[in-house]
DNA sequence: TCAAAAGTGTTTTGTGTACACCCATGC
DNA sequence: GCATGGGTGTACACAAAACACTTTTGA
């Protein structure tokens, strides 16, 4: 018996004695990452072809079992690093999913995170050629309960974009207000008025005018902005002052 | 080897082979419930004296390991039922906590829920005399990482009370607007203007005037209200239309 | 000179907030 | 009649939404 299991036998909880102790360790724990990207004016998610027979032909989120010596965030960052080559990505825990039959091979409880990444970022290396980006709104069916997980994470993202400067993780460092507006529209699924959008963004005081303009556009170039550096923390939304309500 | 563990060996994940398979089952999973109540104009939480030596003298949240044959919500409801005698309580998942050293007896990942209950409800039976209600704002130290869990759940509750009619689970069926306002104040930790509060509540259209008035009050009695029955679902905030923002 | 998008301001409407008085009841 | 909270309305500030024209650039 491995030491951690021995240790756990010392746990005192109300009902522990009613069930064979070893059964409590028949549950595996995984992390699944919904990795959002933005390209061609669409919100996309990074998926992999499922390697389970039960789900042949279906795609699934990127996930892995949690190792005994790593905490939840460490596991998530490991998956991101392994799959994309990047670290220091924005990451946020969303929800735990623990349905009895969610995994065909056994009981697996998963903790879902979402992550935001610039698809065009030079460091992004999709190590595995079974990985591919899929437009979020065109996804019909995924392996496991991953469609539900995706929808839950999208909902959380939609809640957060209005109050916290997280969206910039989906854009290159320099961007125009048009690109930013198109991104909001893609995430929220609404059309926004250009003038009102600009006013609202200015009020939030997130942007730095870097005194450059677009080039290579077949029309009048727009000004470029950066996210203010002090807001650039990849994780920990607690650092931003939430909107007072 | 128990069957679920055998099954799990079939799991194919990127890094599985690098670590002894059995280690993946050295992680236990629990549920912890932050059970909020409201009494004497204070928000309270139901705690139990910790039965671990390491935490002697400290209180902890109510929790238990998840059984192999129950899903997360089932485990939470079981704990609520066992400890309070009530079922059909409002319950909401908040966050998973998985720090390596959060449990002194071994690796335990916990999924935190918060629950709302009317302390005065006739069916509430605290089965175990080590259970007691503690004012949330006076709690300084708890066993494990339960202080952090409590704060996280309180934060979530504070977010939700403004947009969803969840707070009524903390009140008796009939209540006055004064009681409701005092409850909001206790949760949010702010003073509210009485006239503005009433306007805001009326707009939300959550309340039913039941044409009764308080008695036993040493002043002019206020009107009594109920939550509209169609909003009374104990769980599933998805049923309420979220505030458009 | 045309196409495409940038940039900009005013009006209206709704919401949040601050604030004061009279009323009904129990004691 | 006094203490206590119940019940109500108005004015101001700010935010959100609707809406159109001129400017700049590349092709």
């Amino acid at each position: 018996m491995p030491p951690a299991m021995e240790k756990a036998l010392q746990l005192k909880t109300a009902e522990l004695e009613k069930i064979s102790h070893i059964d409590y360790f028949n549950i595996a724990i995984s992390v699944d990452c919904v990795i959002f990207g933005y390209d061609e004016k669409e919100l996309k998610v990074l998926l992999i072809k499922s390697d389970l027979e039960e789900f042949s032909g279906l795609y699934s989120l990127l996930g892995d079992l949690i190792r005994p010596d790593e905490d939840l965030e460490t596991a998530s960052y490991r998956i991101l690093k392994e799959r994309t080559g990047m670290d220091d990505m924005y990451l946020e825990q969303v929800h735990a999913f623990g349905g009895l039959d969610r995994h065909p091979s056994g009981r697996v409880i998963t903790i879902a995170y979402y992550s935001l990444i610039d698809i065009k970022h030079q460091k992004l290396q999709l190590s595995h050629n079974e990985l591919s980006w899929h437009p979020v709104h065109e996804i019909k069916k995924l392996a496991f309960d991953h469609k539900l997980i995706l929808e839950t994470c999208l909902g959380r993202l939609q809640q957060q974009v209005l109050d916290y400067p997280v969206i910039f993780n989906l854009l290159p460092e320099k961007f125009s207000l048009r690109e930013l507006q198109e991104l909001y529209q893609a995430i929220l699924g609404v059309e926004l008025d250009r003038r009102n959008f600009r006013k609202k963004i200015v009020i939030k005081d997130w942007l730095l005018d870097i005194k450059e303009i677009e080039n290579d556009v077949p029309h009048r170039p727009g000004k470029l902005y950066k996210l203010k550096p002090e807001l650039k923390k990849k994780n920990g939304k607690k650092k931003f002052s939430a909107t007072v309500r």
Side-chain angles (χ1 to χ4, degrees), chain A:
Chain A
M1 187 180 293
M5 196 176 289
E6 262 181 325
K7 268 189 173 177
L9 297 183
Q10 301 159 17
L11 294 175
K12 290 190 196 170
T13 54
E15 297 289 329
L16 188 58
E17 63 283 2
K18 291 189 185 166
I19 295 185
S20 158
H21 290 138
I22 204 159
D23 283 340
Y24 280 101
F25 295 94
N26 273 331
I27 308 179
I29 309 181
S30 66
V31 162
D32 282 302
C33 295
V34 176
I35 303 176
F36 288 115
Y38 174 66
D39 193 28
E40 296 171 327
K41 305 190 183 180
E42 281 186 311
L43 187 66
K44 304 198 171 179
V45 61
L46 190 59
L47 300 175
I48 187 170
K49 275 239 168 79
S50 177
D51 53 3
L52 292 187
E53 273 182 33
E54 289 90 338
F55 296 128
S56 75
L58 291 182
Y59 285 89
S60 76
L61 298 172
L62 302 181
D64 197 3
L65 296 180
I66 293 174
R67 298 180 183 174
D69 61 346
E70 64 185 359
D71 66 24
L72 306 178
E73 278 70 27
T74 305
S76 308
Y77 281 120
R78 175 172 57 80
I79 290 165
L80 295 179
K81 176 74 175 173
E82 286 170 3
R83 300 303 195 162
T84 69
M86 289 181 65
D87 40 26
D88 197 31
M89 288 166 59
Y90 181 84
L91 188 66
E92 166 122 351
Q93 194 193 110
V94 176
H95 200 81
F97 295 83
L100 294 177
D101 298 323
R102 57 174 300 285
H103 199 299
S105 307
R107 182 79 198 275
V108 182
I109 290 171
T110 198
I111 297 165
Y113 283 77
Y114 83 78
S115 183
L116 303 176
I117 196 170
D118 170 18
I119 290 186
K120 299 280 176 57
H121 195 289
Q122 65 281 14
K123 288 186 193 159
L124 177 63
Q125 297 295 341
L126 301 184
S127 61
H128 193 301
N129 61 12
E130 302 260 311
L131 291 178
S132 49
W133 291 102
H134 298 252
V136 168
H137 297 289
E138 293 174 14
I139 291 170
K140 295 190 180 56
K141 201 164 172 358
L142 293 175
F144 310 100
D145 53 357
H146 286 186
K147 184 86 194 303
L148 174 62
I149 295 177
L150 172 61
E151 284 166 357
T152 306
C153 288
L154 177 59
R156 179 70 66 90
L157 174 63
Q158 288 173 335
Q159 276 174 31
Q160 299 205 149
V161 290
L162 298 165
D163 291 334
Y164 305 100
V166 297
I167 211 173
F168 303 94
N169 294 291
L170 290 165
L171 290 175
E173 186 163 13
K174 304 173 183 182
F175 50 86
S176 68
L177 290 181
R178 174 178 39 81
E179 290 172 307
L180 184 60
Q181 181 180 343
E182 285 167 351
L183 174 52
Y184 269 98
Q185 293 178 158
I187 291 178
L188 298 173
V190 294
E191 294 281 293
L192 299 171
D193 178 85
R194 188 156 44 98
R195 282 163 294 186
N196 293 334
F197 174 77
R198 285 165 184 241
K199 264 180 288 182
K200 246 167 132 169
I201 277 292
V202 168
I203 286 170
K204 289 195 194 292
D205 198 29
W206 289 344
L207 299 187
L208 205 57
D209 180 348
I210 57 171
K211 309 290 181 194
E212 292 180 44
I213 57 171
E214 292 177 295
N215 49 12
D216 303 330
V217 286
H219 53 74
R220 174 176 174 180
K223 294 206 279 184
L224 292 176
Y225 297 82
K226 275 188 194 176
L227 177 64
K228 287 192 170 182
E230 64 268 28
L231 301 176
K232 257 188 197 168
K233 295 292 158 228
K234 297 292 182 178
N235 205 336
K237 71 173 188 213
K238 301 95 201 166
K239 291 185 183 145
F240 313 123
S241 61
T243 310
V244 175
R245 294 138 55 93

